[in-house]
Amino acid sequence: MRVLLVEDDELLGSGICDALERTRYTVEWVRDGAQALEALRGSGVDLAVLDLGLPRMDGMEVLRRAREAGVTTPVLVLSARDTTLQRIGGLDAGADDYLTKPFDLDELMARIRVLERRTRGAVVNVIRHGSIEVDTSAMTVSVDGRNVELQRREYMVLRKLLENIGHVLSRQQLVDNIYGWDSELESNALDVHIHNLRRKLHPGLIRTVRGVGYVIDPLPAAAWSDR
Ligand code: CA
């Protein structure tokens, strides 16, 4: 999942950025309001964490303009403006959640998970596919109840494919998801991740669509799930 982080405070921003990346999100960090609006209007942001006191354009203005432009991306507002009135103002302007500074990083992460879940319309943080189970809050993967160790990027590829069951994802879509914006396609890194996922989970899990990309087919394709 791609998170847009808008924070002009270097120390706080890098703390949040680290926490998000540790949680296996792909992060785009911008430091002023104009860039934030531009990124929100573009495609590919799944969720935004938005500070209000920003250079070039106030966060509230960013939010208002983004909503006016039809941007529906969930936005969690971070702010030191902590009066009830300001909080209500933020929610009215189109924020999905509001966290007052100073805050606990763990709480921020928990609230992001809630927004993420809401976006996907899922009630629980578990994606099941045959014998494979992915717990997206613990970031663990198991096959037949047995834990499987995945590298960060393998996990991201698996999750992206599982969230798009039956839809072929292009190589570029997968690369964007795991390496972030503007990343060049690394020659064979993606192939290596796919190879490892097949090896660790099941050889038939991910289907190659030649010249297009990859897909996890919907069940029942019980051939592989009941091994
Ligand atoms: Ca600020």
Side-chain angles (χ1 to χ4, degrees):
M1 197 180 71
R2 307 205 285 188
V3 178
L4 173 71
L5 169 64
V6 189
E7 174 57 72
D8 59 319
D9 183 296
E10 283 295 323
L11 199 61
L12 182 59
S14 67
I16 298 172
C17 200
D18 286 351
L20 286 167
E21 282 175 348
R22 269 200 308 277
T23 316
R24 310 187 185 207
Y25 293 117
T26 304
V27 185
E28 165 85 343
W29 178 11
V30 300
R31 294 161 176 80
D32 71 59
Q35 282 181 294
L37 184 58
E38 192 183 327
L40 276 170
R41 279 174 171 165
S43 61
V45 175
D46 297 313
L47 193 150
V49 176
L50 175 70
D51 181 32
L52 290 187
L54 292 168
R56 293 179 71 198
M57 190 189 297
D58 184 80
M60 203 75 100
E61 185 64 22
V62 171
L63 186 56
R64 205 170 287 125
R65 290 205 202 176
R67 292 303 185 224
E68 276 169 17
V71 174
T72 57
T73 310
V75 174
L76 188 154
V77 165
L78 288 182
S79 177
R81 304 173 195 177
D82 58 354
T83 69
T84 306
L85 205 61
Q86 281 157 342
R87 200 180 284 242
I88 291 169
L91 294 169
D92 278 346
D96 295 86
D97 199 0
Y98 201 104
L99 197 54
T100 305
K101 293 179 184 178
F103 55 85
D104 187 286
L105 263 185
D106 288 336
E107 182 176 4
L108 174 63
M109 293 304 141
R111 288 184 182 222
I112 287 175
R113 283 197 297 276
V114 170
L115 285 183
E116 186 186 359
R117 212 155 61 200
R118 206 187 293 164
T119 322
R120 290 205 318 269
V123 184
V124 285
N125 291 325
V126 174
I127 304 171
R128 282 193 191 83
H129 184 70
S131 53
I132 295 170
E133 194 171 295
V134 178
D135 183 327
T136 59
S137 48
M139 291 176 300
T140 54
V141 177
S142 64
V143 178
D144 294 326
R146 171 182 53 87
N147 266 330
V148 178
E149 285 292 324
L150 293 187
Q151 300 288 318
R152 189 171 89 97
R153 284 170 172 161
E154 292 166 6
Y155 172 89
M156 291 165 84
V157 170
L158 174 67
R159 185 163 163 190
K160 188 75 181 170
L161 286 168
L162 280 175
E163 285 171 357
N164 293 279
I165 288 229
H167 297 279
V168 180
L169 297 180
S170 69
R171 296 176 55 84
Q172 190 61 52
Q173 279 175 308
L174 288 167
V175 168
D176 285 352
N177 184 59
I178 56 180
Y179 293 98
W181 284 264
D182 304 324
S183 53
E184 287 300 312
L185 191 66
E186 293 188 18
S187 55
N188 67 347
L190 181 63
D191 305 272
V192 173
H193 300 323
I194 298 280
H195 170 82
N196 287 338
L197 284 169
R198 286 173 175 153
R199 181 173 56 79
K200 291 177 179 181
L201 300 172
H202 189 278
L205 174 65
I206 300 166
R207 185 162 61 85
T208 304
V209 181
R210 226 159 267 295
V212 185
Y214 298 97
V215 63
I216 292 181
D217 288 312
L219 294 175
W224 63 267
S225 65
D226 59 8
R227 68 202 168 105

